[in-house]
């Protein structure tokens, strides 16, 4: 358990650093009110988690430790949006489109409501 946690933590550290650097790069390259940094991190994270799961599904060459490091750790530290998007894809791919749509809508709506609630409590 401790070993697994440390492997995921190392990946998470690298992912968090990558997110920080992507934020700095986007702030330097893009100006305006659109949250380009978050948008780019989320898209890149989705692409990476797709690659990693594709490797697992097609080639079966990723060890459990590599999975912890790259998917749980790196992608989780970089952006949890990639996991969210993958969950929606997996549900839909299994034919559970109603649950997939419900999960998507509920996550976004409840997430926004809870951000508002947290901010309102502090005001």
């Amino acid at each position: 358990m401790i070993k697994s946690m440390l492997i995921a933590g190392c990946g998470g550290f690298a992912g968090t650093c990558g997110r920080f650097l992507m934020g700095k790069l986007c702030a330097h390259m893009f100006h305006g009110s659109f949250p380009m940094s978050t948008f780019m991190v989320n898209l890149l994270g989705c692409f990476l988690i797709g690659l990693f799961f594709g490797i697992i599904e097609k080639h079966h060459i990723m060890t459990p430790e590599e999975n912890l490091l790259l998917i749980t750790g790196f992608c989780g530290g970089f952006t949890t949006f990639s996991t969210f998007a993958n969950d929606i894809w997996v549900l839909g791919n299994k034919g559970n489109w109603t649950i997939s749509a419900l999960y998507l809508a509920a996550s976004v709506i409840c997430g926004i409501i809870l951000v508002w609630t947290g901010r309102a409590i502090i005001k």
Side-chain angles (χ1 to χ4, degrees):
M1 175 72 130
I2 297 292
K3 179 183 174 187
S4 295
M5 187 172 61
L6 290 172
I7 291 170
C10 287
F13 174 77
T16 300
C17 291
R19 181 183 185 94
F20 174 82
L21 293 172
M22 179 69 83
K24 294 296 182 189
L25 177 65
C26 286
H28 178 72
M29 293 178 64
F30 303 102
H31 305 286
S33 59
F34 186 81
M36 186 60 77
S37 173
T38 302
F39 181 69
M40 295 300 290
V41 163
N42 287 341
L43 293 181
L44 180 56
C46 289
F47 175 71
L48 290 174
I49 205 168
L51 282 178
F52 297 149
F53 274 116
I55 289 169
I56 291 170
E57 292 169 357
K58 184 172 183 178
H59 301 291
H60 307 285
I61 59 171
M62 191 175 289
T63 66
E65 289 81 13
E66 290 167 335
N67 185 316
L68 280 171
L69 181 73
L70 297 173
I71 296 173
T72 304
F74 184 82
C75 287
F78 193 64
T79 173
T80 56
F81 183 80
S82 59
T83 301
F84 172 65
N86 187 68
D87 288 345
I88 291 168
W89 183 86
V90 168
L91 285 167
N93 194 46
K94 290 180 178 178
N96 296 324
W97 290 106
T98 302
I99 294 171
S100 181
L102 180 63
Y103 175 52
L104 171 65
S107 295
V108 172
I109 293 166
C110 291
I112 292 168
I113 289 169
L114 289 170
V115 166
W116 175 85
T117 301
R119 287 172 162 260
I121 288 169
I122 299 303
K123 282 186 179 182

